[in-house]
Amino acid sequence: MPEIYDVVVIGGGPGGYVAAIRAAQLGMKVACVESRAALGGTCVNVGCIPSKALLQSSEKFAEAGHALAAHGVKIEGVALDLKTMQARKDKVVGENTRGVEFLFKKNKIGWLKGTGRIAAPDTVEVTLAAGGTETVKAKSIVIATGSDIVRLPGIEIDEKRIVSSTGALMLTDVPKRFVVIGAGYIGLEMGSVWGRLGAEVTVVEFLDRITPGMDAEVARNLQRILQKQCFTFKLGTKVTAAKSAGKGVTLTLEPAAGGAKEELVADVVLVAVGRRPYTDKLGLEAVGVALDDKKGVKVDGQFRTNVASIYAIGDVIAGPMLAHKAEDEGVAVAEILAGQKPHIDYDAIPAVIYTAPEVASVGKTEEELKAAGVAYAVGKFPFTANGRARCNGETEGFVKILADAKTDRVLGVHIIGAEAGTMIAEAALALEFGASAEDIARTCHAHPTLPEAIKEAALAVAKRSIHI
Ligand SMILES: Cc1cc2nc3c(=O)[nH]c(=O)nc-3n(C[C@H](O)[C@H](O)[C@H](O)COP(=O)(O)OP(=O)(O)OC[C@H]3O[C@@H](n4cnc5c(N)ncnc54)[C@H](O)[C@@H]3O)c2cc1C
């Protein structure tokens, strides 16, 4: 007789493992199918965690190399030990994946180690990593299979010279010439890592701007700052071919609108043109689960697919492909299965780019408000006028708050500056609570801190900043 569960979650990433834990907390009998050798999904194994570990280490190397002298800290003979840096990153990943495994044991969640296929609306067949198959029954199935990289036609990823983000996290030498195809957050973060360690970084982007979807003013500032670092941008340009020869890769570039070709030689090329929902070999067609126009799993507001017992969350459904969005959906789907009525405010999901400085945003951009015909007021405050930013020697960037012109309700907050990713939490809370700019302006902020710039930007909405 197959084992019978209340819920079987397919995929052990931040969406899936959080759904499994919350469902277990709510008293359900839960199993999670994960094909990787470690839990945690893309995020913990080859995404958020290893990239942030390398960003942290490479930032320390860059600081030791040239940023500390201005503080009166002189270091001579700074040298890179990439092997140790990579080993540290692997250790951090291991601590996190083992952490998820511990949480599974604590919550009595069964980890079915292998690849899951939905054989029927109440049946999951697992091709076990150790060999053989196991079939389990479930009252509800949650698809949390995440996403995979988008490939470019004619450009074969070998994970050595032409790499995806996964290969870019594992390089054993610093490339002299590192070319990134795609100016999204993954390309800019990996470009930052290898640039800080000594690579010349060229980013080739089809569009005429970087970081599509980000507030355009912030994106322009980020581009300008990155150009002062190790970055060269070739915008409005497409890569039409990549040929590996000898120790390098020769890329053929063309203007996006067509025109004369040029060649660009690289030691390593990172293809970072986006990610796609991953539903391969899940058996969705046979069981009749409908997909949306982006080949993601189609769900309603309660994460239900068109098949009554099957739900989906995270990168495999529509919405921003972010770990915290997947986690919140994991909690929500488990609570829905338990008969509760959770709600996610998709307008209050922050997004962060961990470059130096960081960029973080929540809510609407100016472009989105204009397109929607919403009248808004802008409050801005630069970090050059913030005392703590001066103390820290990190004065680049600004805070920008967009508030409804009539009601003063905060509609969007955009921060470019040191610690922006940490500071955006205050703004997300403000949006979640439906705060006005005045609410933020009248909230006492500790001095001297970087978040005082948020308060000043809120004051600036009503044109009454104090410190500028
Ligand atoms: C380089 C990089 C950096 C990133 N940095 C950030 C960041 O800083 N912040 C952030 O919020 N997001 C970041 N992301 C995105 C983040 O990793 C994803 O949004 C998040 O992992 C999505 O979670 P998920 O649970 O939906 O899917 P995933 O994490 O992709 O997990 C899905 C899991 O399902 C498994 N699986 C798939 N099919 C099957 C099957 N049939 N049977 C069994 N198992 C299966 C996969 O092996 C995978 O482990 C980054 C991504 C990358 C690539």
Side-chain angles (χ1 to χ4, degrees):
M1 275 290 285
E3 189 83 35
I4 302 172
Y5 292 94
D6 293 313
V7 192
V8 170
V9 182
I10 307 180
Y17 83 71
V18 169
I21 292 172
R22 186 73 186 115
Q25 283 177 348
L26 290 165
M28 291 176 237
K29 183 178 173 191
V30 188
C32 178
V33 191
E34 172 56 60
S35 54
R36 279 178 210 273
L39 293 169
T42 304
C43 167
V44 181
N45 288 282
V46 291
C48 326
I49 295 298
S51 60
K52 266 79 254 179
L54 285 184
L55 279 159
Q56 187 74 13
S57 297
S58 59
E59 183 64 13
K60 294 213 178 291
F61 177 73
E63 270 183 18
H66 51 77
L68 293 182
H71 291 265
V73 181
K74 285 196 178 170
I75 306 180
E76 272 165 28
V78 174
L80 175 65
D81 176 356
L82 184 56
K83 214 170 155 194
T84 300
M85 198 179 277
Q86 288 286 24
R88 177 188 171 276
K89 173 211 71 186
D90 294 340
K91 186 166 168 274
V92 171
V93 168
E95 285 162 359
N96 281 273
T97 58
R98 283 194 300 278
V100 180
E101 212 173 322
F102 162 78
L103 293 173
F104 269 28
K105 284 192 186 123
K106 180 182 161 201
N107 288 284
K108 301 188 174 44
I109 297 162
W111 173 9
L112 303 172
K113 298 182 182 177
T115 305
R117 184 180 67 84
I118 304 178
D122 66 345
T123 310
V124 176
E125 189 186 87
V126 185
T127 304
L128 297 168
T133 59
E134 182 177 348
T135 300
V136 292
K137 292 275 179 192
K139 288 182 199 154
S140 305
I141 296 169
V142 177
I143 301 170
T145 47
S147 59
D148 191 17
I149 50 164
V150 169
R151 291 161 200 274
L152 283 173
I155 300 182
E156 200 171 318
I157 292 174
D158 60 18
E159 297 296 13
K160 288 193 175 75
R161 265 179 287 166
I162 304 181
V163 297
S164 70
S165 53
T166 301
L169 289 165
M170 290 170 184
L171 300 179
T172 49
D173 291 303
V174 179
K176 192 170 169 317
R177 296 156 301 182
F178 187 63
V179 172
V180 180
I181 309 177
Y185 79 93
I186 290 178
L188 299 183
E189 288 183 3
M190 294 318 303
S192 294
V193 167
W194 295 108
R196 289 168 194 168
L197 300 182
E200 293 160 15
V201 182
T202 306
V203 179
V204 184
E205 166 60 51
F206 183 84
L207 300 174
D208 58 5
R209 57 162 292 173
I210 68 167
T211 55
M214 180 191 281
D215 188 274
E217 183 186 14
V218 177
R220 278 196 304 277
N221 274 272
L222 176 62
Q223 185 182 339
R224 186 181 48 75
I225 293 169
L226 293 178
Q227 278 166 185
K228 286 195 282 175
Q229 301 174 8
C230 50
F231 281 83
T232 303
F233 290 95
K234 283 183 175 290
L235 303 182
T237 304
K238 61 183 172 188
V239 179
T240 54
K243 222 192 295 161
S244 277
K247 282 194 169 170
V249 181
T250 304
L251 297 172
T252 308
L253 312 183
E254 267 178 45
K261 290 183 182 172
E262 61 170 313
E263 286 192 339
L264 180 65
V265 180
D267 299 296
V268 173
V269 176
L270 164 62
V271 180
V273 292
R275 297 183 64 80
R276 63 165 183 101
Y278 184 76
T279 55
D280 299 10
K281 297 183 219 140
L282 252 184
L284 297 188
E285 220 166 87
V287 86
V289 171
L291 300 184
D292 61 24
D293 53 356
K294 293 196 171 125
K295 302 254 163 65
V297 179
K298 199 171 170 177
V299 291
D300 65 11
Q302 306 283 294
F303 309 106
R304 271 187 301 240
T305 68
N306 57 317
V307 177
S309 56
I310 304 178
Y311 295 71
I313 54 165
D315 279 10
V316 79
I317 66 168
M321 288 188 173
L322 293 169
H324 41 282
K325 176 256 191 192
E327 287 188 46
D328 283 7
E329 291 178 345
V331 168
V333 78
E335 292 178 349
I336 287 166
L337 292 176
Q340 300 182 2
K341 293 195 164 36
H343 171 73
I344 295 176
D345 182 352
Y346 284 92
D347 270 337
I349 293 180
V352 183
I353 305 183
Y354 297 86
T355 43
E358 293 178 350
V359 184
S361 61
V362 63
K364 303 287 186 211
T365 63
E366 277 205 68
E367 293 70 37
E368 284 169 335
L369 293 177
K370 276 185 193 138
V374 177
Y376 61 92
V378 184
K380 261 173 68 176
F381 191 80
F383 284 106
T384 43
N386 173 274
R388 184 59 185 271
R390 284 196 211 113
C391 296
N392 295 358
E394 291 175 321
T395 51
E396 263 173 332
F398 56 85
V399 178
K400 169 167 155 178
I401 295 185
L402 307 171
D404 189 288
K406 277 202 208 91
T407 64
D408 195 39
R409 184 177 176 147
V410 178
L411 302 173
V413 179
H414 305 273
I415 309 176
I416 177 167
E419 314 276 346
T422 304
M423 284 191 279
I424 204 67
E426 173 184 356
L429 191 68
L431 260 80
E432 186 72 41
F433 280 18
S436 63
E438 179 156 5
D439 287 327
I440 298 178
R442 290 197 183 273
T443 301
C444 189
H445 286 65
H447 176 77
T449 60
L450 299 175
E452 284 176 287
I454 300 180
K455 174 179 172 151
E456 289 279 0
L459 283 164
V461 170
K463 302 196 174 17
R464 56 190 184 96
S465 288
I466 300 291
H467 289 92
I468 198 159

mmCIF file of all heavy atoms in Angstrom, residues 7-50:
data_model
loop_
_atom_site.group_PDB
_atom_site.id
_atom_site.type_symbol
_atom_site.label_atom_id
_atom_site.label_comp_id
_atom_site.label_asym_id
_atom_site.label_seq_id
_atom_site.Cartn_x
_atom_site.Cartn_y
_atom_site.Cartn_z
ATOM 1 N N VAL A 7 -0.401 16.305 2.386
ATOM 2 C CA VAL A 7 0.199 17.143 1.329
ATOM 3 C C VAL A 7 1.511 16.539 0.865
ATOM 4 O O VAL A 7 2.359 16.180 1.698
ATOM 5 C CB VAL A 7 0.550 18.573 1.851
ATOM 6 C CG1 VAL A 7 0.876 19.493 0.677
ATOM 7 C CG2 VAL A 7 -0.529 19.143 2.715
ATOM 8 N N VAL A 8 1.694 16.494 -0.446
ATOM 9 C CA VAL A 8 3.015 16.200 -1.006
ATOM 10 C C VAL A 8 3.447 17.434 -1.786
ATOM 11 O O VAL A 8 2.730 17.908 -2.674
ATOM 12 C CB VAL A 8 2.999 14.946 -1.911
ATOM 13 C CG1 VAL A 8 4.322 14.821 -2.670
ATOM 14 C CG2 VAL A 8 2.762 13.705 -1.073
ATOM 15 N N VAL A 9 4.596 17.981 -1.394
ATOM 16 C CA VAL A 9 5.139 19.161 -2.067
ATOM 17 C C VAL A 9 6.222 18.682 -3.022
ATOM 18 O O VAL A 9 7.098 17.909 -2.613
ATOM 19 C CB VAL A 9 5.760 20.136 -1.031
ATOM 20 C CG1 VAL A 9 6.286 21.378 -1.725
ATOM 21 C CG2 VAL A 9 4.751 20.511 0.045
ATOM 22 N N ILE A 10 6.171 19.128 -4.273
ATOM 23 C CA ILE A 10 7.241 18.740 -5.220
ATOM 24 C C ILE A 10 8.174 19.929 -5.383
ATOM 25 O O ILE A 10 7.794 20.969 -5.927
ATOM 26 C CB ILE A 10 6.668 18.301 -6.586
ATOM 27 C CG1 ILE A 10 5.598 17.217 -6.390
ATOM 28 C CG2 ILE A 10 7.797 17.793 -7.487
ATOM 29 C CD1 ILE A 10 4.969 16.720 -7.682
ATOM 30 N N GLY A 11 9.400 19.790 -4.876
ATOM 31 C CA GLY A 11 10.395 20.862 -4.919
ATOM 32 C C GLY A 11 10.701 21.347 -3.512
ATOM 33 O O GLY A 11 9.782 21.724 -2.772
ATOM 34 N N GLY A 12 11.992 21.322 -3.168
ATOM 35 C CA GLY A 12 12.396 21.691 -1.800
ATOM 36 C C GLY A 12 13.110 23.023 -1.734
ATOM 37 O O GLY A 12 14.004 23.237 -0.923
ATOM 38 N N GLY A 13 12.709 23.990 -2.598
ATOM 39 C CA GLY A 13 13.256 25.350 -2.551
ATOM 40 C C GLY A 13 12.517 26.183 -1.518
ATOM 41 O O GLY A 13 11.688 25.658 -0.749
ATOM 42 N N PRO A 14 12.758 27.508 -1.501
ATOM 43 C CA PRO A 14 12.114 28.355 -0.487
ATOM 44 C C PRO A 14 10.594 28.323 -0.546
ATOM 45 O O PRO A 14 9.932 28.494 0.490
ATOM 46 C CB PRO A 14 12.648 29.756 -0.770
ATOM 47 C CG PRO A 14 13.451 29.673 -2.001
ATOM 48 C CD PRO A 14 13.714 28.243 -2.320
ATOM 49 N N GLY A 15 10.024 28.098 -1.716
ATOM 50 C CA GLY A 15 8.573 27.944 -1.796
ATOM 51 C C GLY A 15 8.167 26.621 -1.170
ATOM 52 O O GLY A 15 7.361 26.562 -0.237
ATOM 53 N N GLY A 16 8.766 25.530 -1.676
ATOM 54 C CA GLY A 16 8.375 24.180 -1.270
ATOM 55 C C GLY A 16 8.702 23.850 0.166
ATOM 56 O O GLY A 16 7.858 23.324 0.898
ATOM 57 N N TYR A 17 9.944 24.176 0.612
ATOM 58 C CA TYR A 17 10.274 23.746 1.982
ATOM 59 C C TYR A 17 9.495 24.561 3.007
ATOM 60 O O TYR A 17 9.098 24.026 4.063
ATOM 61 C CB TYR A 17 11.789 23.727 2.234
ATOM 62 C CG TYR A 17 12.482 25.020 2.617
ATOM 63 C CD1 TYR A 17 12.293 25.602 3.873
ATOM 64 C CD2 TYR A 17 13.369 25.640 1.752
ATOM 65 C CE1 TYR A 17 12.955 26.768 4.232
ATOM 66 C CE2 TYR A 17 14.034 26.803 2.092
ATOM 67 C CZ TYR A 17 13.819 27.370 3.334
ATOM 68 O OH TYR A 17 14.460 28.521 3.686
ATOM 69 N N VAL A 18 9.209 25.824 2.707
ATOM 70 C CA VAL A 18 8.416 26.643 3.639
ATOM 71 C C VAL A 18 6.965 26.148 3.668
ATOM 72 O O VAL A 18 6.362 26.036 4.740
ATOM 73 C CB VAL A 18 8.513 28.143 3.270
ATOM 74 C CG1 VAL A 18 7.492 28.966 4.044
ATOM 75 C CG2 VAL A 18 9.920 28.660 3.544
ATOM 76 N N ALA A 19 6.423 25.801 2.497
ATOM 77 C CA ALA A 19 5.056 25.238 2.465
ATOM 78 C C ALA A 19 5.000 23.966 3.302
ATOM 79 O O ALA A 19 4.053 23.757 4.078
ATOM 80 C CB ALA A 19 4.642 24.940 1.024
ATOM 81 N N ALA A 20 6.023 23.125 3.157
ATOM 82 C CA ALA A 20 6.047 21.852 3.897
ATOM 83 C C ALA A 20 6.095 22.122 5.403
ATOM 84 O O ALA A 20 5.357 21.497 6.183
ATOM 85 C CB ALA A 20 7.247 21.017 3.448
ATOM 86 N N ILE A 21 6.942 23.040 5.829
ATOM 87 C CA ILE A 21 7.069 23.327 7.267
ATOM 88 C C ILE A 21 5.762 23.898 7.820
ATOM 89 O O ILE A 21 5.257 23.468 8.854
ATOM 90 C CB ILE A 21 8.241 24.296 7.536
ATOM 91 C CG1 ILE A 21 9.575 23.594 7.231
ATOM 92 C CG2 ILE A 21 8.224 24.810 8.983
ATOM 93 C CD1 ILE A 21 10.787 24.509 7.274
ATOM 94 N N ARG A 22 5.186 24.867 7.095
ATOM 95 C CA ARG A 22 3.941 25.488 7.597
ATOM 96 C C ARG A 22 2.808 24.453 7.658
ATOM 97 O O ARG A 22 2.036 24.439 8.622
ATOM 98 C CB ARG A 22 3.552 26.677 6.699
ATOM 99 C CG ARG A 22 2.370 27.459 7.210
ATOM 100 C CD ARG A 22 2.708 28.304 8.432
ATOM 101 N NE ARG A 22 1.528 28.942 9.008
ATOM 102 C CZ ARG A 22 1.058 28.659 10.230
ATOM 103 N NH1 ARG A 22 1.669 27.802 11.018
ATOM 104 N NH2 ARG A 22 -0.022 29.264 10.681
ATOM 105 N N ALA A 23 2.742 23.586 6.625
ATOM 106 C CA ALA A 23 1.687 22.564 6.623
ATOM 107 C C ALA A 23 1.878 21.617 7.813
ATOM 108 O O ALA A 23 0.910 21.239 8.487
ATOM 109 C CB ALA A 23 1.704 21.791 5.309
ATOM 110 N N ALA A 24 3.130 21.261 8.104
ATOM 111 C CA ALA A 24 3.395 20.377 9.250
ATOM 112 C C ALA A 24 3.024 21.084 10.555
ATOM 113 O O ALA A 24 2.423 20.477 11.444
ATOM 114 C CB ALA A 24 4.861 19.966 9.257
ATOM 115 N N GLN A 25 3.351 22.378 10.653
ATOM 116 C CA GLN A 25 2.971 23.145 11.860
ATOM 117 C C GLN A 25 1.469 23.098 12.076
ATOM 118 O O GLN A 25 0.976 23.116 13.203
ATOM 119 C CB GLN A 25 3.376 24.613 11.712
ATOM 120 C CG GLN A 25 4.845 24.900 11.927
ATOM 121 C CD GLN A 25 5.164 26.381 11.684
ATOM 122 O OE1 GLN A 25 4.335 27.124 11.154
ATOM 123 N NE2 GLN A 25 6.360 26.796 12.081
ATOM 124 N N LEU A 26 0.729 23.077 10.955
ATOM 125 C CA LEU A 26 -0.732 23.111 11.044
ATOM 126 C C LEU A 26 -1.324 21.703 11.213
ATOM 127 O O LEU A 26 -2.526 21.504 11.078
ATOM 128 C CB LEU A 26 -1.308 23.804 9.802
ATOM 129 C CG LEU A 26 -1.029 25.318 9.750
ATOM 130 C CD1 LEU A 26 -1.274 25.889 8.360
ATOM 131 C CD2 LEU A 26 -1.879 26.059 10.785
ATOM 132 N N GLY A 27 -0.462 20.733 11.464
ATOM 133 C CA GLY A 27 -0.927 19.392 11.828
ATOM 134 C C GLY A 27 -1.083 18.425 10.673
ATOM 135 O O GLY A 27 -1.643 17.338 10.845
ATOM 136 N N MET A 28 -0.604 18.792 9.493
ATOM 137 C CA MET A 28 -0.769 17.891 8.347
ATOM 138 C C MET A 28 0.392 16.904 8.257
ATOM 139 O O MET A 28 1.499 17.196 8.722
ATOM 140 C CB MET A 28 -0.846 18.708 7.055
ATOM 141 C CG MET A 28 -2.130 19.522 6.958
ATOM 142 S SD MET A 28 -2.132 20.555 5.480
ATOM 143 C CE MET A 28 -2.367 22.166 6.193
ATOM 144 N N LYS A 29 0.123 15.769 7.639
ATOM 145 C CA LYS A 29 1.189 14.796 7.362
ATOM 146 C C LYS A 29 1.787 15.168 5.995
ATOM 147 O O LYS A 29 1.068 15.193 4.989
ATOM 148 C CB LYS A 29 0.592 13.381 7.347
ATOM 149 C CG LYS A 29 1.649 12.315 7.142
ATOM 150 C CD LYS A 29 1.044 10.923 7.184
ATOM 151 C CE LYS A 29 2.102 9.905 6.815
ATOM 152 N NZ LYS A 29 1.579 8.582 6.587
ATOM 153 N N VAL A 30 3.075 15.477 5.996
ATOM 154 C CA VAL A 30 3.677 16.104 4.809
ATOM 155 C C VAL A 30 4.910 15.349 4.318
ATOM 156 O O VAL A 30 5.738 14.902 5.116
ATOM 157 C CB VAL A 30 4.138 17.554 5.151
ATOM 158 C CG1 VAL A 30 4.580 18.290 3.888
ATOM 159 C CG2 VAL A 30 3.040 18.333 5.858
ATOM 160 N N ALA A 31 5.037 15.284 2.974
ATOM 161 C CA ALA A 31 6.297 14.832 2.367
ATOM 162 C C ALA A 31 6.704 15.853 1.318
ATOM 163 O O ALA A 31 5.860 16.541 0.737
ATOM 164 C CB ALA A 31 6.120 13.469 1.716
ATOM 165 N N CYS A 32 8.010 15.955 1.105
ATOM 166 C CA CYS A 32 8.528 16.868 0.078
ATOM 167 C C CYS A 32 9.447 16.068 -0.829
ATOM 168 O O CYS A 32 10.350 15.360 -0.361
ATOM 169 C CB CYS A 32 9.288 18.017 0.763
ATOM 170 S SG CYS A 32 10.020 19.180 -0.387
ATOM 171 N N VAL A 33 9.203 16.188 -2.138
ATOM 172 C CA VAL A 33 10.048 15.489 -3.116
ATOM 173 C C VAL A 33 11.094 16.474 -3.614
ATOM 174 O O VAL A 33 10.746 17.567 -4.069
ATOM 175 C CB VAL A 33 9.207 15.011 -4.333
ATOM 176 C CG1 VAL A 33 10.018 14.064 -5.204
ATOM 177 C CG2 VAL A 33 7.903 14.377 -3.895
ATOM 178 N N GLU A 34 12.347 16.125 -3.515
ATOM 179 C CA GLU A 34 13.409 17.003 -4.021
ATOM 180 C C GLU A 34 14.468 16.149 -4.695
ATOM 181 O O GLU A 34 14.982 15.205 -4.106
ATOM 182 C CB GLU A 34 14.016 17.844 -2.889
ATOM 183 C CG GLU A 34 15.257 18.639 -3.262
ATOM 184 C CD GLU A 34 15.068 19.579 -4.456
ATOM 185 O OE1 GLU A 34 14.224 20.473 -4.409
ATOM 186 O OE2 GLU A 34 15.812 19.399 -5.464
ATOM 187 N N SER A 35 14.803 16.550 -5.943
ATOM 188 C CA SER A 35 15.737 15.736 -6.726
ATOM 189 C C SER A 35 17.203 16.068 -6.459
ATOM 190 O O SER A 35 18.079 15.249 -6.697
ATOM 191 C CB SER A 35 15.423 15.893 -8.211
ATOM 192 O OG SER A 35 15.413 17.261 -8.541
ATOM 193 N N ARG A 36 17.477 17.299 -5.988
ATOM 194 C CA ARG A 36 18.876 17.630 -5.671
ATOM 195 C C ARG A 36 19.365 16.820 -4.479
ATOM 196 O O ARG A 36 18.563 16.375 -3.664
ATOM 197 C CB ARG A 36 18.983 19.099 -5.232
ATOM 198 C CG ARG A 36 19.026 20.099 -6.321
ATOM 199 C CD ARG A 36 19.074 21.493 -5.687
ATOM 200 N NE ARG A 36 18.432 22.445 -6.539
ATOM 201 C CZ ARG A 36 19.050 23.098 -7.523
ATOM 202 N NH1 ARG A 36 20.336 22.919 -7.730
ATOM 203 N NH2 ARG A 36 18.381 23.936 -8.281
ATOM 204 N N ALA A 37 20.691 16.772 -4.344
ATOM 205 C CA ALA A 37 21.265 16.042 -3.207
ATOM 206 C C ALA A 37 21.075 16.814 -1.896
ATOM 207 O O ALA A 37 21.292 16.286 -0.817
ATOM 208 C CB ALA A 37 22.739 15.780 -3.448
ATOM 209 N N ALA A 38 20.702 18.090 -2.005
ATOM 210 C CA ALA A 38 20.526 18.912 -0.795
ATOM 211 C C ALA A 38 19.233 19.712 -0.918
ATOM 212 O O ALA A 38 18.825 20.086 -2.020
ATOM 213 C CB ALA A 38 21.701 19.861 -0.635
ATOM 214 N N LEU A 39 18.604 19.984 0.231
ATOM 215 C CA LEU A 39 17.383 20.793 0.230
ATOM 216 C C LEU A 39 17.733 22.276 0.072
ATOM 217 O O LEU A 39 18.892 22.671 0.158
ATOM 218 C CB LEU A 39 16.624 20.568 1.548
ATOM 219 C CG LEU A 39 16.039 19.159 1.738
ATOM 220 C CD1 LEU A 39 15.555 18.959 3.176
ATOM 221 C CD2 LEU A 39 14.882 18.931 0.761
ATOM 222 N N GLY A 40 16.709 23.113 -0.151
ATOM 223 C CA GLY A 40 16.940 24.560 -0.240
ATOM 224 C C GLY A 40 16.758 25.139 -1.638
ATOM 225 O O GLY A 40 16.714 26.353 -1.806
ATOM 226 N N GLY A 41 16.684 24.257 -2.638
ATOM 227 C CA GLY A 41 16.367 24.724 -3.995
ATOM 228 C C GLY A 41 17.461 25.551 -4.631
ATOM 229 O O GLY A 41 18.622 25.542 -4.206
ATOM 230 N N THR A 42 17.046 26.288 -5.659
ATOM 231 C CA THR A 42 17.961 27.176 -6.388
ATOM 232 C C THR A 42 18.559 28.181 -5.421
ATOM 233 O O THR A 42 19.767 28.438 -5.415
ATOM 234 C CB THR A 42 17.159 27.948 -7.470
ATOM 235 O OG1 THR A 42 16.510 26.995 -8.303
ATOM 236 C CG2 THR A 42 18.060 28.841 -8.298
ATOM 237 N N CYS A 43 17.700 28.763 -4.591
ATOM 238 C CA CYS A 43 18.101 29.841 -3.689
ATOM 239 C C CYS A 43 19.305 29.458 -2.829
ATOM 240 O O CYS A 43 20.331 30.133 -2.825
ATOM 241 C CB CYS A 43 16.904 30.208 -2.807
ATOM 242 S SG CYS A 43 17.315 31.252 -1.423
ATOM 243 N N VAL A 44 19.193 28.342 -2.131
ATOM 244 C CA VAL A 44 20.241 27.997 -1.172
ATOM 245 C C VAL A 44 21.442 27.349 -1.862
ATOM 246 O O VAL A 44 22.588 27.590 -1.492
ATOM 247 C CB VAL A 44 19.676 27.067 -0.066
ATOM 248 C CG1 VAL A 44 20.767 26.723 0.934
ATOM 249 C CG2 VAL A 44 18.519 27.746 0.653
ATOM 250 N N ASN A 45 21.182 26.551 -2.895
ATOM 251 C CA ASN A 45 22.280 25.801 -3.518
ATOM 252 C C ASN A 45 23.054 26.591 -4.563
ATOM 253 O O ASN A 45 24.291 26.560 -4.573
ATOM 254 C CB ASN A 45 21.726 24.522 -4.159
ATOM 255 C CG ASN A 45 21.322 23.503 -3.118
ATOM 256 O OD1 ASN A 45 22.174 22.820 -2.563
ATOM 257 N ND2 ASN A 45 20.031 23.414 -2.832
ATOM 258 N N VAL A 46 22.341 27.290 -5.461
ATOM 259 C CA VAL A 46 23.033 27.942 -6.587
ATOM 260 C C VAL A 46 22.485 29.349 -6.860
ATOM 261 O O VAL A 46 22.606 29.854 -7.981
ATOM 262 C CB VAL A 46 22.921 27.082 -7.890
ATOM 263 C CG1 VAL A 46 23.726 25.805 -7.756
ATOM 264 C CG2 VAL A 46 21.458 26.782 -8.231
ATOM 265 N N GLY A 47 21.858 29.963 -5.872
ATOM 266 C CA GLY A 47 21.243 31.278 -6.111
ATOM 267 C C GLY A 47 21.609 32.287 -5.053
ATOM 268 O O GLY A 47 22.771 32.664 -4.892
ATOM 269 N N CYS A 48 20.576 32.713 -4.301
ATOM 270 C CA CYS A 48 20.722 33.796 -3.313
ATOM 271 C C CYS A 48 21.929 33.600 -2.402
ATOM 272 O O CYS A 48 22.745 34.519 -2.227
ATOM 273 C CB CYS A 48 19.493 33.871 -2.410
ATOM 274 S SG CYS A 48 17.927 33.471 -3.160
ATOM 275 N N ILE A 49 22.037 32.430 -1.793
ATOM 276 C CA ILE A 49 23.022 32.244 -0.716
ATOM 277 C C ILE A 49 24.466 32.223 -1.256
ATOM 278 O O ILE A 49 25.296 33.026 -0.802
ATOM 279 C CB ILE A 49 22.668 30.995 0.124
ATOM 280 C CG1 ILE A 49 21.321 31.221 0.839
ATOM 281 C CG2 ILE A 49 23.770 30.658 1.123
ATOM 282 C CD1 ILE A 49 21.280 32.381 1.828
ATOM 283 N N PRO A 50 24.805 31.368 -2.233
ATOM 284 C CA PRO A 50 26.209 31.406 -2.702
ATOM 285 C C PRO A 50 26.585 32.737 -3.337
ATOM 286 O O PRO A 50 27.719 33.201 -3.181
ATOM 287 C CB PRO A 50 26.281 30.262 -3.718
ATOM 288 C CG PRO A 50 24.873 29.933 -4.063
ATOM 289 C CD PRO A 50 24.044 30.280 -2.875
#
